[in-house]
Amino acid sequence: MEKQEQLYEGKAKKVFRTSDPEVYWVSYKDDATAFNGEKKGTIVGKGELNNRISAIFFSLLKERGVDNHFVKLLSATEQLVRRVEIIPLEVVIRNIAAGSLAKRLGLEEGTVLPQPVVEFYYKDDALGDPLINDSHIQVLGIADDSTVQTMERIGLRVNEILQAFLRERKVILVDFKLEFGRAADGSVLLADEISPDTCRFWDEETREKLDKDRFRRDLGDVEQAYQEMLRRIGGDFDV
Ligand code: UDP
């Protein structure tokens, strides 16, 4: 498999075509952004850590029956994925109130939610990725009802799998964001990344943050936190 022309460069990753039209080559970057791009920085080693962490989570999900775009790890910072057309919705699943939910509903950060909360955000930089509901999604023609239901069902299953896996490793899965794409056969496929950039992870004992909130809130030791997450999930070895 060889890397061909670059198709896209996002905030955290570059995507390239390959000799197989159904397979893309993803290269993870060290660049970090927050607050819709207002805060920018570099986290040394982040590309490698997120590439490895995401590969472990996607492999685990595949093993547990949640099909996804991950094909294989290529190098420390690169992986192959199946081509999908990204549906412009971010699906956020929450177990504990934090971030925008704590603010919006006036809940204290750390409040345990009696059941998982599912939210949809419209991926649109100009609008600042607004929270939207089912009828907004229908009115804008972003996805049909059954696609939205499929994303919600898979999201809740991913939550169960990751929560159980992380609990054994003394990590609390506070919340996370998923993205889905449409595969060549029309099916809805889990895609993008699952990493400390897209999840909130708290140490079970100390409640220390092991995720991008260390960057967002200038808490320091960002790289160390990502490294610790990789170690907890068993990926601190060479590929
Ligand atoms: N998230 C993400 N990308 C975004 C917005 C949120 O990956 O563009 C993740 C974030 O890391 C957290 C969850 O989604 O795990 C919920 O984020 P929230 O709505 O609380 O927003 P934030 O506080 O991150 O602005």
Side-chain angles (χ1 to χ4, degrees):
M1 190 74 64
E2 69 192 60
K3 187 164 87 177
Q4 296 184 345
E5 86 265 24
Q6 184 176 309
L7 289 169
Y8 167 83
E9 177 163 5
K11 292 165 194 148
K13 299 184 282 293
K14 291 180 187 177
V15 181
F16 302 84
R17 217 189 279 283
T18 68
S19 43
D20 181 342
E22 292 308 319
V23 176
Y24 284 169
W25 183 300
V26 176
S27 174
Y28 278 71
K29 309 194 296 180
D30 286 350
D31 298 348
T33 61
F35 312 119
N36 200 24
E38 273 171 47
K39 184 180 170 87
K40 288 194 174 73
T42 302
I43 301 169
V44 179
K46 178 170 85 79
E48 173 166 356
L49 290 160
N50 280 359
N51 181 48
R52 293 187 190 280
I53 291 169
S54 205
I56 291 170
F57 283 137
F58 278 117
S59 302
L60 168 77
L61 291 169
K62 196 164 278 185
E63 260 173 42
R64 304 282 157 91
V66 178
D67 197 16
N68 59 68
H69 77 155
F70 179 69
V71 176
K72 70 168 188 170
L73 216 44
L74 289 170
S75 72
T77 57
E78 297 163 300
Q79 57 179 261
L80 290 180
V81 301
R82 266 161 75 190
R83 180 181 73 83
V84 296
E85 193 163 328
I86 291 288
I87 298 165
L89 289 173
E90 296 188 339
V91 182
V92 169
I93 314 274
R94 303 174 182 273
N95 300 305
I96 292 183
S100 71
L101 182 83
K103 217 185 248 179
R104 182 175 301 114
L105 301 187
L107 295 171
E108 194 183 339
E109 186 159 90
T111 306
V112 177
L113 304 170
Q115 63 186 57
V117 166
V118 182
E119 296 173 342
F120 293 92
Y121 292 84
Y122 181 27
K123 262 169 75 80
D124 185 312
D125 282 341
L127 296 176
D129 297 347
L131 176 71
I132 61 174
N133 66 23
D134 275 355
S135 31
H136 297 144
I137 294 171
Q138 299 315 312
V139 163
L140 292 176
I142 299 168
D144 60 26
D145 243 345
S146 81
T147 302
V148 173
Q149 279 168 28
T150 301
M151 292 193 293
E152 177 158 348
R153 180 176 49 76
I154 298 173
L156 290 170
R157 181 74 192 121
V158 169
N159 189 40
E160 284 171 7
I161 295 166
L162 296 188
Q163 256 192 321
F165 178 77
L166 291 167
R167 199 178 292 127
E168 287 171 9
R169 289 155 179 81
K170 306 282 179 240
V171 174
I172 300 171
L173 179 60
V174 174
D175 57 31
F176 60 98
K177 181 266 299 181
L178 298 176
E179 293 189 25
F180 293 84
R182 194 82 51 207
D185 65 0
S187 61
V188 176
L189 199 64
L190 179 62
D192 195 49
E193 71 176 281
I194 303 178
S195 73
D197 270 11
T198 65
C199 304
R200 285 193 170 94
F201 299 123
W202 292 354
D203 178 84
E204 192 183 274
E205 213 163 288
T206 63
R207 301 240 147 182
E208 188 191 2
K209 296 182 199 315
L210 298 171
D211 58 59
K212 195 168 154 186
D213 270 348
R214 301 204 72 84
F215 170 74
R216 292 188 190 99
R217 303 179 190 188
D218 295 320
L219 300 175
D221 291 338
V222 187
E223 193 204 340
Q224 287 82 348
Y226 283 49
Q227 189 81 57
E228 175 61 13
M229 273 311 301
L230 180 64
R231 195 187 67 76
R232 296 268 180 115
I233 64 174
D236 55 343
F237 51 82
D238 283 338
V239 174

